[in-house]
């Protein structure tokens, strides 16, 4: 299949912001795509060549891409970099450069979807000496055979920044539209596609099955993670009860990290909430799963929580977070920061989905089949009640133990993967916000290229300022007082210096920032970093004298680790 066909689709998708139009464009492409090419086409439409949970990563940085552009066009890296800072998108830079060097395409053969897919996939398998030059060669091979517009999308895919505005929902609807059987309502079929996706987490697999009319044959697979169920925030036990119904199951909300456990006989695979495979990083928990989970094959939902090996005291998330990204010395770290598995759900048992069973029944299955052992594997602590007062008491008890709060779950509700629905709610204390000053920023990319889009925040330390994090969340594109445009308007006159896309800014603008947690960090001069910072408002009423100081940051940090 010609790559130009896909590029034509990308271009049409770029031209519209309308969801229905996008759906129609993709559905038309899918109808015309041969069955054996659906896999590649669906991946490339999502700007990827591997599934979300695949351990392989393309791993081509923008810097390396600049070298590949240099190698295929002869344009100097400095010039490419300058253009990149101006345009904010390497795809546009390549398009422009190759557009001026049309002769390249004259000697080339036609690019196919398969060839593009294959070369980009190969980037992930390269290791050892000579990797850089081999990577450059693979990309250069594509770029020199590409027409101008093809090169643009190759570059965007290689640096994993496609940006054609195609969300999962649009892909789902397009598959439904493309392969809708006669006499079936579109709404009903969309739901079937969604269910199939929730089982497999793979649109390619779903599209092929839909085309073959074999959606029913799709099953959950031990090597594929499920999108975990998520919770909505509530402010009180009473509000929680209203949302999930009575009686509710209230559970400790532990301050660890989500772990989806897939077991098939002796084989165990572990996934994070973001569907990353972390089996290698947590080898220490595998033997206890084999030993204490008395089910041949299953998918469990759990929270891993770290503890101090000496005192046995449970530790907050930031202590085990370092275990997730680790590549080396895994055994040593496992000894230093051991973890306990707290199981709270079961999604599949011996190949059969349990998602439609009630919370009550799923918990019963867990109790029957998991042999609990403290500091190894336990079921999360819970109560079942219709009394808001009892839940408040349980909430206080949970906070007293250093947990984040509680979860409240619909006792007769099923497991709804991948969505925040009222079946689960979370209750946790509201953190005090921090008033911080902007001391730096980065110019945006794509449609934000004219605006500052990521802002460096600092707290006060005497008369100087120390960095504590970067924020881009909470700011709107339009229709708000808090837009990128407005922040850029205020900050632009305060720019002290610029280097590439980064600017240094004179402390002036104070922002009120919320966050999930304060962590210790070597990345910022304050020694702290904010987890999930979000801009709440511009504090025109505050001057830089009012910016929160390091002592207050430290106080908040200490309070949360108590
Ligand atoms: P949040 O990250 O605030 O949206 O809260 C949801 C997260 O809380 C989940 O993704 C889990 O990692 C974590 N969690 C801790 N305890 C539980 C529990 N008992 N049930 C479900 N999730 C839990």
């Amino acid at each position: 299949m010609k790559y130009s066909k896909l590029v034509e689709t990308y271009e049409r998708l770029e031209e519209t912001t309308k969801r229905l139009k996008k759906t129609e464009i993709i559905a038309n492409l899918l109808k015309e795509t041969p069955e054996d090419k659906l896999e590649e086409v669906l991946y490339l439409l999502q700007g990827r060549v591997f599934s979300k949970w695949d351990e392989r990563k393309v791993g081509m940085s923008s810097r390396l891409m600049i070298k590949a552009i240099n190698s295929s066009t002869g344009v100097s890296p400095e010039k490419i970099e300058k253009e990149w800072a101006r345009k904010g998108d390497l795809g546009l830079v390549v398009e422009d450069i190759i557009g001026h060097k049309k002769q390249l395409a004259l000697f080339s053969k036609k690019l196919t979807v398969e060839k593009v897919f294959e070369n980009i996939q190969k980037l992930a398998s390269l290791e050892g000496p000579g990797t850089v030059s081999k990577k450059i060669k693979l990309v250069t091979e594509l770029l020199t055979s590409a027409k101008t517009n093809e090169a643009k999308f190759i570059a965007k895919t290689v640096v994993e920044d496609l940006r054609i505005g195609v969300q999962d929902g649009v892909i789902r609807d397009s598959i439904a539209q493309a392969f809708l059987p006669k006499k079936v309502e579109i709404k009903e079929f969309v739901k079937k596609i969604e269910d199939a996706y929730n089982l497999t987490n793979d649109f390619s697999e779903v599209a092929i099955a839909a085309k073959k009319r074999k959606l029913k044959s799709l099953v959950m697979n031990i090597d594929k993670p499920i999108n975990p169920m998520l919770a909505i925030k509530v402010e009180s036990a009473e509000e929680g009860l209203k949302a999930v119904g009575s009686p509710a199951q209230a559970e400790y909300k532990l301050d660890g990290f989500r772990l989806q456990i897939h077991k098939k006989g002796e084989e165990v695979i572990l996934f994070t909430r973001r569907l990353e495979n972390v089996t290698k990083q947590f080898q220490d928990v595998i033997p206890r799963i084999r030993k204490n989970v008395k089910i041949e094959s299953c998918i469990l939902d759990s929270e891993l929580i770290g503890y101090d090996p000496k005192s046995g005291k449970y530790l907050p998330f930031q202590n085990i977070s370092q275990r997730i990204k680790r590549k080396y010395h895994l055994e040593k770290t496992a000894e230093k920061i051991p973890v306990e598995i707290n199981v709270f759900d079961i999604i599949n048992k011996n190949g059969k989905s349990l998602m439609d069973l009630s919370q009550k029944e799923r918990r019963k299955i867990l109790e029957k089949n998991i042999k609990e052992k403290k500091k190894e594997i336990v079921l999360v602590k819970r109560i079942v009640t219709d009394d808001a007062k009892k839940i408040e008491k349980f909430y206080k008890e949970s906070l007293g133990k250093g947990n984040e709060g509680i979860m409240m779950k619909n006792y007769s509700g099923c497991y709804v993967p991948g969505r925040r629905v009222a079946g689960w709610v979370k209750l946790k204390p509201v953190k005090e916000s921090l008033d911080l000053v902007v001391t730096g920023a980065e110019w945006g990319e794509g449609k934000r290229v004219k605006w500052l889009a990521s802002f460096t925040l600092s707290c006060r330390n005497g008369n100087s300022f120390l960095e504590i994090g970067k924020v881009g969340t909470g700011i709107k594109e339009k229709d708000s007082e808090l837009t990128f445009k407005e922040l850029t308007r205020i900050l632009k006159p305060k720019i002290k210096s610029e280097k590439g896309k980064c600017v240094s800014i004179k402390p002036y603008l104070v922002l009120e920032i919320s966050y999930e947690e304060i962590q210790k960090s070597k990345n910022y001069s304050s020694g702290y970093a904010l987890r999930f910072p979000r801009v709440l408002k511009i504090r025109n009423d505050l001057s830089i004298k009012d910016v929160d100081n390091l002592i207050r940051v430290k106080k908040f940090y200490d309070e949360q680790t108590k």
Side-chain angles (χ1 to χ4, degrees), residues 72-73 94-95 97-111 140-151 154:
S72 43
T73 63
V94 176
E95 183 182 34
I97 293 175
I98 294 199
H100 284 98
K101 293 188 173 263
K102 286 214 179 71
Q103 71 275 18
L104 283 174
L106 294 179
F107 305 107
S108 60
K109 45 183 187 299
K110 285 218 164 62
L111 267 182
T140 303
E141 191 191 352
L142 293 180
L143 289 181
T144 47
S145 323
K147 288 194 208 118
T148 315
N149 55 353
E150 291 174 342
I154 288 168

Side-chain angles (χ1 to χ4, degrees), residues 418-484:
R419 267 193 281 145
R420 283 184 200 283
V421 282
W424 285 14
V425 298
K426 56 187 176 189
L427 179 59
K428 54 184 186 179
V430 182
K431 289 246 162 53
E432 278 201 62
S433 54
L434 283 169
D435 298 320
L436 300 169
V437 69
V438 178
T439 51
E442 259 180 52
W443 290 104
E445 298 192 345
K447 58 181 174 184
R448 293 188 189 158
V449 73
K450 286 198 210 122
W451 301 328
L452 294 167
S454 163
F455 304 88
T456 306
L457 302 166
S458 294
C459 61
R460 204 161 46 79
N461 184 30
N463 286 329
S464 62
F465 293 95
L466 297 173
E467 290 181 0
I468 187 167
K470 285 193 177 133
V471 69
T473 314
I475 308 158
K476 307 282 178 325
E477 300 274 349
K478 53 184 178 185
D479 303 331
S480 156
E481 283 172 10
L482 185 59
T483 56
F484 290 104

Side-chain angles (χ1 to χ4, degrees), residues 508-523:
Y508 168 77
L509 177 70
V510 183
L511 299 175
E512 187 177 337
I513 305 290
S514 69
Y515 53 89
E516 286 274 315
E517 188 181 24
I518 302 176
Q519 301 177 328
K520 285 224 159 140
S521 165
K522 292 198 179 96
N523 295 335

Side-chain angles (χ1 to χ4, degrees), residues 53-186:
W53 68 87
D54 202 308
E55 282 175 282
R56 291 170 295 176
K57 297 280 169 278
V58 172
M60 185 92 178
S61 65
S62 301
R63 301 270 151 233
L64 208 51
M65 186 67 204
I66 288 174
K67 285 193 183 156
I69 303 170
N70 160 251
S71 144
S72 43
T73 63
V75 176
S76 75
E78 294 73 32
K79 181 152 188 242
I80 301 170
E81 205 148 323
K82 220 165 142 195
E83 283 299 299
W84 180 36
R86 206 165 64 86
K87 291 199 161 81
D89 183 326
L90 274 175
L92 297 178
V93 175
V94 176
E95 183 182 34
D96 198 32
I97 293 175
I98 294 199
H100 284 98
K101 293 188 173 263
K102 286 214 179 71
Q103 71 275 18
L104 283 174
L106 294 179
F107 305 107
S108 60
K109 45 183 187 299
K110 285 218 164 62
L111 267 182
T112 60
V113 165
E114 302 84 291
K115 177 71 185 164
V116 173
F117 191 78
E118 186 189 306
N119 272 31
I120 303 180
Q121 266 211 340
K122 271 191 199 157
L123 291 170
S125 60
L126 297 172
E127 272 179 37
T131 300
V132 167
S133 58
K134 281 185 209 152
K135 281 189 169 183
I136 292 176
K137 205 169 149 214
L138 281 169
V139 178
T140 303
E141 191 191 352
L142 293 180
L143 289 181
T144 47
S145 323
K147 288 194 208 118
T148 315
N149 55 353
E150 291 174 342
K152 166 178 156 185
F153 290 102
I154 288 168
K156 281 166 158 288
T157 311
V158 168
V159 296
E160 294 172 287
D161 192 18
L162 187 61
R163 283 192 261 157
I164 47 167
V166 174
Q167 313 293 350
D168 283 1
V170 173
I171 303 260
R172 176 200 61 200
D173 294 355
S174 315
I175 296 174
Q177 210 179 88
F179 306 121
L180 181 69
K182 277 191 194 117
K183 294 190 190 150
V184 177
E185 288 274 330
I186 183 79

Side-chain angles (χ1 to χ4, degrees), residues 251-254 258 273 303 344 409 426 428:
E251 298 172 359
Y252 280 177
K253 183 174 193 308
L254 303 156
R258 187 97 175 238
R273 167 171 168 172
E303 185 86 350
F344 54 76
K409 300 181 178 177
K426 56 187 176 189
K428 54 184 186 179

Side-chain angles (χ1 to χ4, degrees), residues 243-259:
V244 303
S246 290
Q249 172 160 304
E251 298 172 359
Y252 280 177
K253 183 174 193 308
L254 303 156
D255 188 12
F257 89 93
R258 187 97 175 238
L259 191 74

Side-chain angles (χ1 to χ4, degrees), residues 293-311:
V293 179
K294 310 281 180 199
I295 308 173
E296 172 64 14
S297 102
C298 61
I299 300 178
L300 303 173
D301 206 349
S302 74
E303 185 86 350
L304 263 197
I305 173 149
Y307 61 89
D308 183 329
K310 288 194 193 109
S311 67

